[in-house]
């Protein structure tokens, strides 16, 4: 249970009858606040207007309740804003947005009330007391929203690590924590791991992602769980996350095997960190199966390389490297010189010249599909090892 307090003294100092004068102006003040939020940065979207206005009305009425009964109304008010904080976390929104909106709302509300004919019929001293109470109210509300937000983030982080536990956690415990985090248990998940991009400098970890994603960017190894990644309406990772972080996602697996997806995501991100595979956008392990398999079979492939690539040992080192790169490009493009030349960024005639040299070196091996597959795997492994050495 999250507990936060409210200093009731400013409310006790407000003159009797102020709440009664405020209540008839709630609708008018809410409309003015809504207009203020629509002019804000970012502006309030039309589809959010109805819900926002209802929240504004509730907030002003809560304030009136506290003015009328400072000692009895806070628990209900706090429970309301605690739910607001949890909702923000589930939507992936920053609670600072709400705090800024509260400040703008207060200013807009006072402009509206000041424009009412006859005002609130308060002297300057009484008006000052109302303002003190209002700012006390906003500070307490902001604290409760932050507490709800933090509680929701913590619950989801605990669930994430429980799903990735080794050995697997008890199903009943997982279901209980998923219920607390309001996270429907999916049939399948994909696990992603993230690494901050150095070129972007120090960045604040992103807010919890929306669309049912679980994430923990405060952990030593930041990671996410994507529910039902292959289903309709599957979640998308925020563009800001992919801009500031290199993110690798493992294959979709049943929920009970989430740790297997984590393992492949880790290996994929490791290859990207070495420069073996590109690290732009979302890096999917399913798109880099050969590199992942090769990385796991390094010792066996090293032994096979001594035999399969032996013809290259008679070539001077500089030319040997060019021929090896050309051989890999040709194998990947079914010996199409034009496609291989685009991959290597050289003229097709250069590739054809090197191909003739390779045919002289390897002979019939270049016509044997099995030998070609072995050489392609070995040459990919060299690329992986070269990246690791760098």
């Amino acid at each position: 249970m999250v507990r936060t307090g409210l200093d009731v003294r400013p409310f006790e100092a407000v003159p009797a009858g102020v709440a009664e004068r405020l209540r008839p102006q709630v609708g008018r003040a809410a409309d003015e606040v809504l207009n203020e939020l629509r002019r804000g940065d970012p502006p309030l979207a039309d589809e959010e207007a109805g819900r926002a206005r209802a929240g504004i009305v509730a907030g002003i009425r809560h304030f009136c309740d506290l003015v009328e009964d400072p000692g009895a109304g806070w628990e209900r008010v706090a429970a309301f804003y605690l739910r607001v904080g949890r909702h923000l976390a589930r939507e992936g929104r920053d609670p600072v947005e709400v705090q800024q909106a509260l400040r703008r709302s207060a200013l807009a509300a006072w402009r509206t009330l000041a424009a009412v004919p006859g005002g609130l019929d308060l002297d300057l001293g009484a008006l000052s007391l109302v303002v003190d109470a209002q700012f006390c109210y906003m500070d307490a509300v902001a604290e409760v929203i932050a507490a709800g937000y933090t509680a929701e983030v913590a619950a989801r982080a605990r669930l994430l690590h429980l799903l990735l536990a080794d050995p697997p956690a008890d199903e009943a415990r997982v279901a209980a924590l998923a219920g607390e985090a309001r996270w429907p248990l999916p049939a399948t998940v994909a696990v992603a791991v993230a690494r901050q991009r150095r070129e972007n400098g120090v960045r604040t970890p992103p807010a919890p992602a929306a669309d049912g994603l679980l994430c923990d960017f405060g952990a030593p190894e930041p990671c996410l769980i994507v529910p039902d990644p292959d289903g309709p309406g599957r979640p998308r990772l925020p563009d800001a996350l992919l801009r500031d972080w290199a993110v690798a996602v493992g294959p979709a697996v049943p929920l009970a095997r989430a740790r297997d997806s984590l393992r492949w995501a880790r290996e994929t991100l490791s290859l990207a960190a070495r420069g073996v595979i590109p690290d732009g956008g979302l890096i999917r392990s399913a798109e880099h199966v050969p590199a992942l398999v090769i990385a796991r079979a390094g010792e066996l492939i090293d032994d096979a390389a001594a035999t399969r690539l032996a013809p290259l040992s008679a070539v001077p080192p500089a030319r040997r490297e060019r021929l090896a790169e050309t051989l890999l490009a040709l194998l990947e493009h079914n010996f199409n010189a034009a496609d291989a030349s685009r991959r290597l960024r050289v003229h097709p005639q250069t590739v054809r010249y090197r191909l003739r040299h390779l045919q002289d070196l390897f002979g019939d091996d270049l016509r044997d599909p099995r030998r070609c597959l072995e050489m392609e795997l070995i040459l990919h492994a060299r690329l992986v090892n070269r990246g690791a050495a760098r």
Side-chain angles (χ1 to χ4, degrees):
M1 176 65 182
V2 178
R3 295 188 180 277
T4 59
L6 173 72
D7 184 358
V8 300
R9 290 172 297 179
F11 293 90
E12 293 171 340
V14 174
V18 167
E20 185 178 351
R21 298 173 199 170
L22 277 172
R23 287 190 189 279
Q25 309 303 328
V26 167
R28 182 173 178 174
D31 289 337
E32 177 61 26
V33 171
L34 196 63
N35 290 333
E36 176 73 16
L37 294 178
R38 280 175 164 154
R39 293 191 295 266
D41 184 18
L44 182 71
D46 289 341
E47 58 270 20
E48 298 178 7
R51 187 173 64 182
R53 190 182 188 282
I56 295 163
V57 168
I60 298 175
R61 286 176 177 164
H62 288 157
F63 177 77
C64 293
D65 292 344
L66 289 169
V67 170
E68 289 178 336
D69 189 358
W74 176 244
E75 289 302 322
R76 179 171 58 85
V77 175
F80 173 83
Y81 284 108
L82 193 66
R83 291 193 297 272
V84 170
R86 285 185 172 273
H87 184 73
L88 288 173
R90 289 194 293 274
E91 285 197 335
R93 294 172 58 191
D94 192 331
V96 172
E97 292 178 24
V98 175
Q99 293 168 13
Q100 293 171 344
L102 282 171
R103 299 285 176 182
R104 294 202 304 268
S105 298
L107 293 172
W110 277 111
R111 283 200 301 269
T112 302
L113 296 172
V116 173
L120 295 176
D121 194 22
L122 298 176
D123 60 32
L124 188 59
L127 190 60
S128 176
L129 293 173
V130 174
V131 172
D132 286 345
Q134 185 182 40
F135 279 99
C136 176
Y137 172 76
M138 288 193 300
D139 288 343
V141 163
E143 183 182 354
V144 175
I145 290 174
Y149 181 92
T150 301
E152 184 71 20
V153 169
R156 292 187 164 226
R158 288 197 303 273
L159 176 59
L160 180 148
H161 293 293
L162 193 64
L163 291 169
L164 299 178
D166 187 18
D170 177 70
E171 290 184 8
R173 188 180 171 203
V174 169
L177 191 53
E180 179 187 340
R182 297 169 179 80
W183 195 71
L185 291 174
T188 61
V189 295
V191 182
V193 292
R195 170 179 51 79
Q196 205 165 43
R197 297 186 187 278
R198 291 188 183 90
E199 64 268 23
N200 288 344
V202 177
R203 296 274 181 173
T204 303
D211 297 325
L213 298 171
L214 297 180
C215 64
D216 184 3
F217 280 84
E221 179 187 55
C223 58
L224 308 93
I225 291 182
V226 183
D228 291 325
D230 297 329
R234 54 187 163 189
R236 286 185 68 254
L237 298 185
D239 292 337
L241 172 64
L242 298 178
R243 182 188 64 240
D244 298 337
W245 299 71
V247 182
V249 61
V253 296
L255 182 63
R257 291 180 48 216
R259 192 166 181 84
D260 293 339
S261 184
L262 172 64
R263 183 178 71 252
W264 288 112
R266 283 171 170 166
E267 295 195 17
T268 303
L269 189 61
S270 175
L271 291 180
R274 298 181 206 165
V276 175
I277 59 178
D279 71 347
L282 182 61
I283 315 163
R284 301 179 186 277
S285 61
E287 296 174 359
H288 301 285
V289 172
L292 289 165
V293 171
I294 289 165
R296 286 201 156 210
E299 184 177 343
L300 177 61
I301 288 177
D302 284 344
D303 292 339
T307 301
R308 295 290 173 256
L309 300 183
L312 289 176
S313 61
V315 180
R319 185 182 299 176
R320 182 190 311 156
E321 197 63 31
R322 289 194 296 271
L323 286 175
E325 290 176 352
T326 302
L327 177 57
L328 177 57
L330 286 164
L331 290 166
E332 288 179 333
H333 294 90
N334 198 27
F335 288 93
N336 184 303
D339 290 344
S341 70
R342 283 191 288 272
R343 160 74 183 276
L344 297 170
R345 297 180 181 177
V346 298
H347 195 278
Q349 193 59 37
T350 302
V351 173
R352 294 187 186 96
Y353 169 78
R354 294 176 186 174
L355 174 57
R356 287 193 292 271
H357 194 172
L358 289 166
Q359 289 169 334
D360 291 339
L361 291 170
F362 286 92
D364 291 340
D365 279 355
L366 295 188
R367 289 185 285 272
D368 185 332
R370 183 174 176 179
R371 289 285 184 266
C372 287
L373 176 60
E374 291 174 355
M375 286 190 286
E376 185 173 349
L377 288 172
I378 291 167
L379 289 165
H380 268 297
R382 282 163 53 97
L383 180 65
V384 170
N385 292 336
R386 195 163 61 221
R390 283 201 303 268

